[in-house]
Amino acid sequence: MEKLNCVIIDDEPLARDVVESFAKSVPFLNISATFEDPVEALLYIRNNSVDIVFSDIEMPKLNGLEFVRALGNVVVTIFITAYRDFALDGFETGATDYLVKPVRFDRFLKAVNKAKDYLELKKSLSIQQVNNDRIFIKSEGKLIKILLNEILYIEAQGDYLKIVIPSATYTTQTTLKSMEEMLSLPNFFRIQRSFILNLEAVRSVNGNMVELVNGKSISIALNKKEEFFNLLGIN
């Protein structure tokens, strides 16, 4: 079995040791490095092959949420926190799971199996990026070319994505996080946990609801509203 390379980031030595000992008990995990400083971890991950990051949320210099945003969703992240209330914020950054301290081995095992399943799904290549302006997706037994600037919005539906363009709607088996990693154009924005939209497709905004040019209405997550308005140039 090919092992998944893991990095552990926590400013508490005991917490790092617990996660490391758990990881050593799982046959498909390999601990590549452990870090107290998230900035050092960021540099390491950008220059090495890493599959899974276990990261504390409350850390000096750079907290876990800021760390993942700086990293840009290039690895699977499992947050570790002493505060259950941080879980929702963690998921909004695209984290695969979160563990509450003190971490239990059974809960750790559930999280890493979830990460492993996600990585295996990603390798199935339901979406193939050709270049920065187009992708091919597997849908209805064939490969379909989609120009990125034609996408109105993308909706997560379990292990599937619904990709909507003006002339058609396609469904393919992959995750929203995997799709988000391919969207290199700056006008795509993850407006909430289940939706990514094309800012060019916005027709109007009414309170917490966004109407697109095709008539579709999508709610804005409260913690995304300020950033969304800034991207649209709304004060």
Side-chain angles (χ1 to χ4, degrees), residues 92-104:
E92 288 293 346
T93 65
T96 298
D97 208 342
Y98 76 98
L99 301 170
V100 177
K101 296 178 181 179
V103 179
R104 304 192 322 267

Side-chain angles (χ1 to χ4, degrees), residues 78-220:
I78 297 173
F79 278 129
I80 302 169
T81 177
Y83 306 99
R84 193 178 298 271
D85 292 343
F86 282 132
L88 181 59
D89 289 337
F91 280 127
E92 288 293 346
T93 65
T96 298
D97 208 342
Y98 76 98
L99 301 170
V100 177
K101 296 178 181 179
V103 179
R104 304 192 322 267
F105 180 72
D106 62 328
R107 186 63 184 83
F108 175 87
L109 193 58
K110 182 179 178 180
V112 297
N113 275 310
K114 183 177 179 181
K116 178 174 174 285
D117 289 346
Y118 165 77
L119 289 168
E120 288 176 349
L121 178 63
K122 184 178 177 181
K123 286 180 180 178
S124 68
L125 293 178
S126 292
I127 300 178
Q128 297 183 24
Q129 187 163 13
V130 179
N131 53 39
N132 289 335
D133 68 353
R134 69 196 63 193
I135 57 175
F136 276 86
I137 67 168
K138 293 180 182 178
S139 182
E140 300 174 358
K142 55 188 175 182
L143 286 171
I144 299 169
K145 182 181 74 174
I146 297 179
L147 299 178
L148 295 183
N149 62 10
E150 288 187 345
I151 296 174
L152 301 177
Y153 69 92
I154 304 161
E155 179 182 0
Q157 298 181 330
D159 290 333
Y160 290 82
L161 289 186
K162 182 168 74 173
I163 301 174
V164 179
I165 65 175
S167 59
T169 297
Y170 301 106
T171 301
T172 189
Q173 186 177 18
T174 190
T175 64
L176 198 62
K177 183 176 180 180
S178 178
M179 183 68 187
E180 190 174 22
E181 292 170 4
M182 292 190 180
L183 295 175
S184 57
L185 299 182
N187 50 307
F188 284 98
F189 181 71
R190 189 165 181 171
I191 197 168
Q192 52 151 287
R193 187 176 177 185
S194 299
F195 284 90
I196 296 174
L197 58 76
N198 186 341
L199 296 174
E200 298 297 324
V202 174
R203 172 180 287 162
S204 64
V205 181
N206 184 10
N208 289 326
M209 298 300 298
V210 178
E211 183 185 0
L212 304 184
V213 292
N214 67 339
K216 173 72 174 180
S217 292
I218 305 171
S219 62
I220 313 169

